[in-house]
Every structure is written in C-alpha cells, then in structure tokens.
C-alpha cells in the first residue's frame, strides 16, 4: 500500500542573511554600468582599485583533474588582471550535493561553488547567492544559450553563472542488433533486446527519466516561485488522458523481461538511456558497435509519440560578500571561469558540453557523437526549470506503479494519488513544514528526502524510514526538542 507523501521544503534555522550594498561600501561600485572596468566585462583588465590579494574558497566537481584545471584557469585570470592575486583553496564536491551543503551553513560555505540547476531555488531562499550585477548579467545572457540562462534565473533575476548545457539524456545502443531505423521505435528496440537476451536500461523509477513519457504525450509540470524562491503554485497535467497514455507506454517497457531500471551500468546492455557522463563507459561497452542517438518513439492505440526529456545545466554560484570590492573580484572571476575559453578547456579535458554559444559552435563540440545525440534529442527536450524538491520523490513512484498495474484502473489510481500528493504540498500547515524540516536534519538527509509520516499523538510526527536505516523509527516534536527512537 502506498503512503501519501509530504516532503520538507522549509529549511528552518538555516537561512543566513548576507550584508549587501550599503555595508562598508568602498568607493568601487561593481554594478555601475558606466564603469567599463568593473565585472560587467570579464575580458576587460581590472583597474588598480580592485588590486589586492584575495584568499578564497571554492567547490568544484570532484572529478579527477577538475581542481587542477581550475587552478590553472585562476592563474590565467591573474595574468589577465595584473594587481589581483587569488589564493584559492579548491575542494572537490559533487555538484549534486553542493547545494545541500551550502544551505546547511551558508556562513562557512565557500565563496564560489558549482552546483546542479535543480538546487537554485533553495540557494536563493537561503540567501546563498549574490546575483551578478546589471552589466554582468547582460553579458552572461548574451554569451550563453537561453536554456542555461533560464536555469540560472528565478522570477526573471539571474542568480548564477551558466557553466554547462549537457545535463540531459539520450540513447546509447548496440548497432549490431539494432539498426538506425529500428532505433527510432521503442517496440522494435524491446523486441531486439528480448531476442538477443540483453538489457534495455531505462531509469523509470527516477522522476527525471519518468517524465520523458509524459512529455511525449504533451503533459507538463510547471512550478511557480515568488522572488524569494518559494513555490506558490503548480500547473501539472500528468493526471490526464494524456498522462494515462504515458503510463501505458511505461508499462509496455517495464513489463518486458529485457527491462532494467539501472541506467548507470552497461553489463549485458543492448540499450542504455543515459547522458554524456557515461560516454566513456558506453564506448568501452559497445566498442565497434557503439551507437548514440535521440530517444525513440512509442506507439499506443495506433498513435506514435516521441519520447521527451529534461535538459539541464550546471551552474557556478558566488556567495554574498559584505565587502563590495571583494564581491566585484569574485564576480569577475566567476565570469572568467564560466566564459568561452574556460568552457572550451573543460570540454577538451572532460567533454563537458558548453553553455557558451561560441563554444557550442566549435568543430570539436559539433563532432562529438554523444553531444550530437543530445542536440538531436534537444528538439524534444524540456528545459528543467525550478521544481519543488518534493516532486522528485512524488513522481519517481509512477514507473514502479506502471510496472505493478494489472489494468488501466490501477494506472489511473496511481495518477490520482500522484495528483493528490502534489496538491497536498500547498495545504501543509507551518507546523507540519517545520516538523518535516527538522526530521530531515536529524536523519542527516537532503531537504527533499521522502518521509511518509503520521501524526501520533497530536504534535508528534512519526516515520518508519526504511530507506535510511532499516528497523529504526524517528520522532520529532514541535519546537526545539526532538527524540530519536532506535
């Protein structure tokens, strides 16, 4: 039996307010559009008023070599801006975890950090991002693709610096068993995998991938935030006739003996739906039979639907500073590190797909088969905007529901429960929100972790959290006190 899901959004006690303009303001105005030597143009050498030595901390990807390349790029920034010395302490932290770590303690968070775009809303809420100045924002918007700019913005305000546009998925496949023509049909791919006793790997129990079936039929889930980064409304059409078609298509794949939900391994795989982060593994597994292309179409009731996908980005953020001179240098540095030259260098060394439009147009990027497949799928892609953290756990069960369903009635029930839980996110009391925020901290989990809870007795929320520690029960009471029961 499925429990209704309510997830924590309120990050109680974690908000740290930064001191902005007006706090010890030096003579330099980093946002003055009339000053040609301020962070508005990262290619303009910084004048003497910004000269000095700056000790900074940075989080970059934990991937081998990223920290070393970042230090080389900082050295190049110093050479281009005489008088500025950057003493950087660089640490590798996965972009998927960076946002959670920052909001947990903004005061001690690094000055510059890289993060996945789905963390932007909570970082804005936590006052953990210094928005680029007017001229800087204009330059960033002009240099980068529209999707990455949207990913770095909340309510029309740019808060971060686009760094990549490769966080999407497409299809790797075995060309010896699947022709280019058959690769366009999900049904033909399933048949080929079954015939050859290989796996069709598609993470249908991950909402990021599950959404592709709903996008194929025209469904959407659009979330609205206010300027403070709080979610105030949602326009979601998954629970619809089109959504039911998507559920039927997922069921068709999920019930195949070839289906496997683990899309990060290639063992026995004939097809894997994944992204460029697995390009090397795909090339090694398929060898001479390596193929990469967009997602296929599926057919329901005689009508064909091309699978959609999310497209996403990695961003660089700058923590608010009380010293405007230091803030100006950090903004200038962030613009440089996310500029065309540095993006080209990261592509050459790590094959990260650039967000910079000039870098995207380079011959090297254009000839990359994985990025070519991503670009082909981009025609059917949906830019990943800011999404309520709870949605990921609410939607991830739809794939498992489709597999378990015995008929259309079960599929519809799953959609009804999905919709009811979505609606419940905007009906929580402040006490409930606070309780869920605290239990997340107790269990040492991310803010969007799913906790099915009951109120027992009044004012005490209880949950059996098997995903975290089997057999343990966690309790949290309203206010400052809490109990953990083992």
């Amino acid at each position: 039996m499925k429990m209704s899901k309510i997830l924590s959004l309120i990050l109680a006690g974690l908000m740290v307010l930064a001191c902005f303009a007006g706090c010890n303001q030096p003579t330099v105005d980093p946002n003055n559009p009339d000053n040609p030597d301020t962070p508005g143009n990262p290619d303009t050498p910084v004048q003497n008023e910004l000269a000095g030595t700056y000790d900074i901390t940075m989080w970059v990807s934990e991937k081998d070599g990223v920290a070393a390349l970042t230090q080389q790029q900082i050295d190049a920034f110093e050479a281009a801006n005489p008088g500025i010395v950057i003493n950087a302490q660089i640490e590798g932290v996965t972009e998927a975890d960076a946002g959670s770590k920052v909001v947990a303690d903004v005061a001690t968070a690094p000055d510059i950090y890289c993060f996945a775009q789905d963390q932007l809303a909570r970082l804005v809420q936590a006052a953990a991002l210094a928005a680029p100045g007017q001229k800087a924002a204009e330059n960033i918007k002009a240099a980068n693709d529209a999707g990455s700019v949207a990913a770095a913005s909340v309510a029309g305000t740019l808060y971060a610096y686009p760094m990549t546009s490769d966080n999407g998925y497409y299809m790797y496949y075995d060309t010896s068993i699947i022709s280019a023509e058959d690769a366009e049909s999900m049904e033909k791919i399933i048949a080929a995998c079954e015939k050859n006793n290989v796996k069709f790997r598609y993470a249908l129990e991950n909402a990021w991938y599950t959404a592709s079936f709903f996008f194929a039929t025209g469904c959407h889930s659009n979330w609205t935030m206010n300027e403070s980064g709080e979610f105030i409304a949602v326009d979601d059409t998954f629970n619809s006739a089109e959504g039911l078609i998507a559920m039927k298509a997922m069921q068709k794949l999920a019930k195949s003996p070839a289906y496997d939900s683990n899309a990060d391994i290639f063992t026995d795989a004939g097809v894997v739906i994944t992204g460029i982060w697995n390009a090397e593994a795909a090339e090694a597994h398929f060898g001479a039979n390596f193929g990469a292309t967009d997602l296929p179409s599926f057919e329901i009731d005689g009508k064909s639907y091309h699978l959609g996908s999310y497209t996403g980005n990695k961003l660089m953020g700058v923590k608010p500073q009380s010293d405007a001179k230091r803030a100006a240098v950090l903004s200038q540095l962030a613009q440089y590190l996310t500029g065309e030259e540095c993006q080209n260098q990261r592509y050459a060394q790590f094959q990260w797909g650039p967000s910079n439009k000039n870098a995207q147009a380079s011959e090297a990027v254009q000839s990359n088969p994985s990025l070519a497949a991503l670009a082909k799928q981009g025609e059917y892609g949906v830019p990943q905007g800011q999404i309520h953290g709870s949605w990921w756990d609410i939607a991830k069960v739809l794939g498992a529901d489709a597999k378990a369903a015995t008929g259309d009635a079960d599929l519809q029930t799953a959609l009804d429960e999905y919709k009811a839980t979505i609606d419940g996110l905007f009906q929580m009391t402040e006490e409930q929100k606070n309780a869920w925020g605290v239990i997340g901290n107790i269990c040492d989990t991310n803010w969007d972790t799913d906790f099915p809870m009951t109120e027992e007795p009044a004012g005490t929320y209880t949950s059996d959290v098997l995903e975290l520690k089997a057999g343990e029960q966690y309790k949290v009471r309203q206010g400052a006190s809490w109990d953990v029961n083992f």
Side-chain angles (χ1 to χ4, degrees):
M1 178 181 298
K2 183 185 309 159
M3 296 187 222
S4 173
K5 301 190 172 191
I6 304 176
L7 293 95
S8 167
L9 178 64
I10 305 300
L11 302 171
L14 299 181
M15 304 299 185
V16 179
L17 298 179
C19 179
F20 295 104
C23 297
N24 301 320
Q25 186 85 303
T27 57
V28 175
D29 181 358
N31 295 325
N32 180 0
D34 297 322
N35 184 349
D37 300 318
T38 58
N41 186 350
D43 297 322
T44 301
V46 181
Q47 298 299 317
N48 291 336
E49 60 263 30
L50 294 183
T53 299
Y54 300 86
D55 297 327
I56 72 169
T57 52
M58 286 190 66
W59 285 353
V60 299
S61 169
E62 81 288 2
K63 184 178 177 69
D64 288 345
V66 174
L69 177 60
T70 301
Q71 182 59 64
Q72 294 172 17
Q73 293 171 339
I74 291 174
D75 294 343
F77 171 81
E78 290 177 324
N81 296 282
I84 289 184
V85 177
I86 304 291
N87 294 326
Q89 180 179 340
I90 305 172
E91 181 180 352
V93 175
T94 176
E95 292 97 339
D97 295 337
S100 298
K101 293 178 179 293
V102 168
V103 299
D105 191 351
V106 179
T108 62
D111 298 299
I112 296 178
Y113 53 93
C114 304
F115 61 97
Q117 70 171 78
D118 62 333
Q119 301 166 34
L120 182 68
R122 55 183 142 159
L123 290 166
V124 172
Q125 283 184 302
L129 289 169
Q134 180 181 349
K135 285 191 67 177
E138 291 173 355
N139 289 329
I140 292 168
K141 292 176 181 178
N144 294 278
D145 64 61
S148 66
V149 171
S153 303
V154 170
T157 298
L158 189 72
Y159 280 95
Y161 303 75
M163 195 167 65
T164 74
S165 282
D166 60 7
N167 198 23
Y169 46 93
Y170 43 88
M171 183 171 73
Y172 291 117
Y173 68 102
D174 186 338
T175 60
S176 70
I177 63 172
I178 302 169
S179 68
E181 181 180 355
D182 287 351
E184 297 300 318
S185 165
M186 187 182 81
E187 288 79 10
K188 291 181 179 180
I189 294 171
I190 292 173
C193 289
E194 290 179 351
K195 179 180 178 180
N196 291 276
N197 195 31
V198 292
K199 295 298 183 182
F200 189 152
R201 298 190 176 277
Y202 204 140
L204 295 186
E205 295 175 33
N206 180 323
W208 201 52
Y209 295 90
T210 301
S212 62
F213 284 81
F214 291 89
F215 295 157
T217 63
C219 297
H220 61 261
S221 186
N222 299 327
W223 298 79
T224 301
M225 290 187 303
N226 60 22
E227 292 182 354
S228 299
E230 298 172 335
F231 290 95
I232 57 176
V234 61
D235 174 18
D236 187 291
T237 62
F238 280 28
N239 186 21
S240 61
E242 291 75 18
L244 186 59
I245 294 172
M247 292 290 285
K248 289 180 180 179
M250 278 198 294
Q251 184 180 57
K252 182 183 293 189
L253 172 57
K255 286 188 177 295
S256 167
Y259 167 71
D260 193 292
S261 63
N262 192 331
D264 285 320
I265 63 174
F266 284 78
T267 305
D268 299 327
V271 171
V272 181
I273 307 302
T274 185
I276 196 168
W277 53 91
N278 277 326
E280 291 183 6
E283 292 171 0
H285 173 73
F286 293 118
N289 299 320
F290 171 84
T293 189
D294 60 330
L295 300 183
S297 298
F298 61 80
E299 186 174 305
I300 297 292
D301 298 330
K303 185 175 180 180
S304 181
Y305 303 85
H306 193 288
L307 283 163
S309 61
Y310 268 126
T311 60
N313 308 82
K314 292 178 182 178
L315 309 173
M316 182 175 289
V318 175
K319 188 174 73 172
Q321 307 288 317
S322 59
D323 184 333
K325 178 180 175 181
R326 179 181 175 86
V329 172
L330 290 176
S331 177
Q332 187 84 5
L333 177 60
Q335 289 175 74
Y336 181 84
L337 294 175
T338 57
E340 178 182 349
E341 181 177 356
C342 289
Q343 289 199 23
N344 278 330
Q345 292 170 351
R346 284 190 288 270
Y347 169 75
Q349 190 162 338
F350 309 115
Q351 284 71 60
W352 290 3
S355 61
N356 181 277
K357 290 183 285 190
N358 288 338
Q360 289 174 347
S362 70
E363 182 179 352
V365 172
Q366 291 288 314
S367 63
N368 183 293
S370 294
L371 289 179
L374 179 62
K376 187 176 180 181
Q377 177 60 29
E379 180 181 347
Y380 308 95
V382 175
Q384 183 183 324
Q386 301 311 308
I387 301 172
H388 197 300
S390 302
W391 182 84
W392 301 103
D393 280 309
I394 295 171
K396 74 180 182 182
V397 302
L398 292 174
D401 288 343
K403 183 176 182 178
T406 59
D408 289 359
D410 290 343
L411 297 175
Q412 185 58 57
T413 296
L415 290 174
D416 291 341
E417 292 183 359
Y418 164 85
K419 181 62 164 58
T421 309
I422 291 286
D423 292 342
L425 293 173
F426 297 97
Q427 298 169 1
M428 295 172 67
T429 66
E430 288 303 313
E431 288 184 340
Q432 289 173 321
K433 293 176 182 177
N434 289 335
W436 282 81
V438 175
I439 199 169
N441 293 332
I442 293 171
C443 300
D444 191 27
T445 64
N446 290 338
W447 71 298
D448 57 355
T449 300
D450 178 30
F451 294 102
M453 295 181 71
T454 57
E455 188 174 5
E456 164 193 2
T460 299
Y461 294 84
T462 305
S463 178
D464 293 315
V465 190
L466 300 180
E467 301 90 349
L468 296 175
K469 296 181 181 178
E472 297 182 355
Q473 185 180 70
Y474 297 83
K475 287 187 178 181
V476 56
R477 289 187 171 84
Q478 298 297 333
S481 63
W482 51 269
D483 295 328
V484 180
N485 298 331
F486 297 89

